[in-house]
Amino acid sequence: MTATILDAERADLLEALDTVRAALTATVQGLTDEQLDAHPTVSELSLGGLIKHVASIEEMWLRFAVDGPSAMTYDLPEGVTWADLGAGTAREFPQWAIDHQNNFRMLPGDTLAGILARYEQVAARTREIVSSIPDLSATHPLPEAPWNPPGAVRSVRRVLTHVIAETAQHAGHADILRESIDGQKST
């Protein structure tokens, strides 16, 4: 396999993403699967759930970078409104919302090794996409959703900076969780 030579901007963006990914995954080193599922604060966040969420979000945003808004569909079941969904009173929840919620949880069969392996696969796919997209300035419209401004677009570059920022934010959350579990600091 030949190594892809990246321009400086792509190399810098991928290096920044690798750095924040490493900060996040360092928080789980030496933990058991049970500790990975611990909820040591008033939040329902667990370290395993955070890593699953970040991997899922990175995967979704990079699919968006390639496929545009079809990679992020937020359709609601017939008769369900955004207000119903937000209040938790929807008579039926869309699969994308259930999947999103499950990405914050350790599910039966989830293990530290499996979660980290999946995250590594997502990272490898991100590198492939960033290496092959012809133009980081290429844009796609954001899908319709209450959290997206009408008519907004995102470039591949902005997608990458968003993924870096979100990963860094969750690495900070993970530091707090890890220290709450066993007093260890990941940095």
Side-chain angles (χ1 to χ4, degrees), residues 28-39:
V28 299
Q29 297 308 309
L31 292 180
T32 65
D33 291 340
E34 292 76 29
Q35 288 172 312
L36 200 64
D37 190 27
H39 304 268

Side-chain angles (χ1 to χ4, degrees), residues 36 56 60 66 78 120 138 162 168 177 187:
L36 200 64
S56 171
M60 178 187 66
V66 173
E78 186 71 33
E120 288 173 15
H162 173 77
L177 292 174
T187 54

Side-chain angles (χ1 to χ4, degrees), residues 3-185:
T4 303
I5 298 175
L6 300 173
D7 61 55
E9 181 182 20
R10 291 169 201 257
D12 287 348
L13 288 166
L14 288 171
E15 182 181 347
L17 185 52
D18 286 344
T19 299
V20 294
R21 274 198 213 105
L24 176 59
T25 58
T27 63
V28 299
Q29 297 308 309
L31 292 180
T32 65
D33 291 340
E34 292 76 29
Q35 288 172 312
L36 200 64
D37 190 27
H39 304 268
T41 67
V42 296
S43 167
E44 290 191 33
L45 292 178
S46 70
L47 287 168
L50 275 178
I51 293 174
K52 286 177 60 177
H53 167 71
V54 170
S56 171
I57 291 300
E58 181 175 327
E59 182 178 52
M60 178 187 66
W61 275 109
L62 271 291
R63 274 195 327 264
F64 171 83
V66 173
D67 298 330
S70 66
M72 301 171 150
T73 55
Y74 300 111
D75 297 330
L76 296 178
E78 186 71 33
V80 173
T81 67
W82 285 106
D84 297 333
L85 192 63
T89 59
R91 62 173 172 68
E92 179 183 356
F93 288 86
Q95 189 60 50
W96 62 262
I98 295 166
D99 292 344
H100 179 76
Q101 201 60 31
N102 283 339
N103 282 328
F104 276 106
R105 297 185 177 115
M106 294 284 290
L107 299 175
D110 283 344
T111 64
L112 175 59
I115 289 169
L116 291 176
R118 179 170 184 283
Y119 198 21
E120 288 173 15
Q121 291 171 341
V122 169
R125 180 67 181 134
T126 294
R127 180 169 278 286
E128 288 174 16
I129 290 169
V130 172
S131 298
S132 65
I133 283 186
D135 182 3
L136 295 180
S137 297
T139 62
H140 296 292
L142 289 175
E144 288 186 35
W147 52 85
N148 290 334
V153 299
R154 292 293 180 268
S155 68
V156 175
R157 181 180 295 102
R158 188 152 176 202
V159 163
L160 288 169
T161 59
H162 173 77
V163 170
I164 292 165
E166 180 146 341
T167 305
Q169 176 184 16
H170 288 310
H173 296 146
D175 276 338
I176 294 166
L177 292 174
R178 175 60 190 255
E179 193 168 353
S180 298
I181 291 170
D182 64 2
Q184 296 295 309
K185 295 179 182 178

